[in-house]
Amino acid sequence: MTRENLPHPTVATVVEQEGRYLMVHEHRDNKWVYNQPAGHIENGEHIIDAAIRETLEETAWLVEPTAIAGISMYHAPNGISYLRTTLIAKPVRHHPERALDPDIHEAVWLSYEELLEKSEQMRSPIVLKVINDVRQGQTYPLAMLYEHR
């Protein structure tokens, strides 16, 4: 098996504040979609650090991870498999002066009802699944994540 055929390790962050969820509106595979702030974990980077970095880069929000929402495997239509660790985080501070990643059109706060209305526009089925899991209290402690160097 070549490296290109291995699943891509990614991280995503569920950020909720006053009943609204921080989402990114981005252009992927020739369509506009919504997703949690998410991205690839860099070589040597801890999952928690990757979640903080990706959320800041994609939304201009500094967040503090508080729990794990889940680990999932997504086999995308483009033929790539993504091993996704989703963390739950609380917003700490907004940095409106920061430019967002070029692939991101905007960062938006959406209510659960608005997310349901846009369900056909989610980047993958995992987006709403993980929010539903969190809403039902299905979370895990951050202490489950550890690394050795």
Side-chain angles (χ1 to χ4, degrees), residues 96-110:
E97 73 283 357
R98 282 188 65 102
L100 304 181
D101 274 358
D103 295 339
I104 306 298
H105 173 64
E106 65 180 340
V108 295
W109 290 92
L110 299 174

Side-chain angles (χ1 to χ4, degrees), residues 8 12 15 30 32 34 48 55-56 62 64 73 78 113:
H8 294 219
V15 183
N30 296 315
W32 289 99
Y34 289 91
I48 293 171
T55 304
L56 185 61
L62 178 63
E64 179 184 334
M73 181 69 80
N78 64 7
E113 293 73 23

Side-chain angles (χ1 to χ4, degrees), residues 102-122:
D103 295 339
I104 306 298
H105 173 64
E106 65 180 340
V108 295
W109 290 92
L110 299 174
S111 69
Y112 182 69
E113 293 73 23
E114 290 170 319
L115 290 170
L116 292 178
E117 289 171 7
K118 299 175 186 310
S119 63
E120 296 298 316
Q121 297 173 52
M122 297 298 137

Side-chain angles (χ1 to χ4, degrees), residues 35-86:
N35 194 17
Q36 282 100 11
H40 289 86
I41 301 167
E42 303 294 333
N43 187 37
E45 186 176 37
H46 192 281
I47 293 169
I48 293 171
D49 295 335
I52 294 168
R53 177 185 53 76
E54 286 290 347
T55 304
L56 185 61
E57 290 175 356
E58 294 192 351
T59 69
W61 274 92
L62 178 63
V63 297
E64 179 184 334
T66 59
I68 302 169
I71 299 171
S72 54
M73 181 69 80
Y74 177 56
H75 306 287
N78 64 7
I80 298 173
S81 295
Y82 298 92
L83 178 59
R84 181 192 211 233
T85 302
T86 305

Side-chain angles (χ1 to χ4, degrees), residues 26 28 31 33-35 74 82 121-125 127:
E26 60 186 347
R28 290 281 188 231
K31 62 182 178 177
V33 295
Y34 289 91
N35 194 17
Y74 177 56
Y82 298 92
Q121 297 173 52
M122 297 298 137
R123 184 166 176 183
S124 79
V127 176

